[in-house]
Amino acid sequence: MGDQPVIDPTGPRLVYVQVADHIQGRIRSGDLALGSRLSAERDLAREYGVAYDTIRRATALLRERGLIETVHGRGTFVVAVPPDNGD
Amino acid sequence: MGDQPVIDPTGPRLVYVQVADHIQGRIRSGDLALGSRLSAERDLAREYGVAYDTIRRATALLRERGLIETVHGRGTFVVAVPPDNGD
DNA sequence: CTATATTTGTGCGTATGTATG
DNA sequence: ACATACATACGCACAAATATA
């Protein structure tokens, strides 16, 4: 992921929305399977090259979309797969 | 260590880098021998007078430098000694 | 096998400072 | 003035892995 930056800070779309959409794409594609755990939030921040604050916003968005659930002390897990026309 | 503070929060160098460099110096000097275990992360935080988060950053840096390895539930161990001109 | 203690892993909330649009 | 975004730093709570009694 690091070689092909997925996030464009200069683009019109908000960075945290870009991150959320990208994670959603990984869930839809099966890269992040149902029930699997996402990387730790601080690790996601490093992987995407964004700030921790931005990851918090992105996961909050995915939680609102019902795709993930977060358990204090355990991590964040995929609980639903969006339909192909989910965007 | 407590009487002579090693860390300067007001200095130009980042706190977690100061901590990492100081631990690296202890490894280089033999104070922390090859294979030995570091203090628990939360104890290190107390000893250095910094936050746990800062210790996590410092150890992450030393892990990247290949000097230490961490095992969940066991601790953090010295796996390499930097050369004298390592800085 | 159960229970406890130790240690790391993770998340949650907050604060400060800088920079940009 | 305001929102977004980045980076660092602090403190706390809950969970998991490991070792030992």
Side-chain angles (χ1 to χ4, degrees), chain A residues 64-82:
Chain A
E64 287 172 13
R65 293 177 184 170
L67 301 184
I68 61 173
E69 274 181 10
T70 300
V71 184
H72 188 181
R74 295 223 307 136
T76 300
F77 303 86
V78 179
V79 295
V81 177

Side-chain angles (χ1 to χ4, degrees), chain B residues 11-62:
Chain B
R13 288 165 65 237
L14 298 178
V15 176
Y16 77 87
V17 176
Q18 293 181 51
V19 171
D21 287 347
H22 187 262
I23 293 176
Q24 177 165 327
R26 292 174 62 193
I27 295 174
R28 191 171 43 214
S29 74
D31 178 33
L32 289 170
L34 192 63
S36 67
R37 211 199 99 231
L38 275 64
S39 298
E41 293 178 335
R42 284 161 176 88
D43 289 337
L44 285 175
R46 242 186 354 100
E47 293 168 15
Y48 279 99
V50 301
Y52 176 54
D53 174 70
T54 303
I55 295 295
R56 292 300 302 266
R57 289 175 187 266
T59 54
L61 203 55
L62 294 171

Side-chain angles (χ1 to χ4, degrees), chain A residues 12-35:
Chain A
R13 289 163 65 234
L14 298 178
V15 175
Y16 76 87
V17 177
Q18 293 181 52
V19 172
D21 288 346
H22 187 262
I23 293 176
Q24 178 165 327
R26 291 174 62 193
I27 295 174
R28 191 171 43 215
S29 74
D31 178 34
L32 289 170
L34 193 61

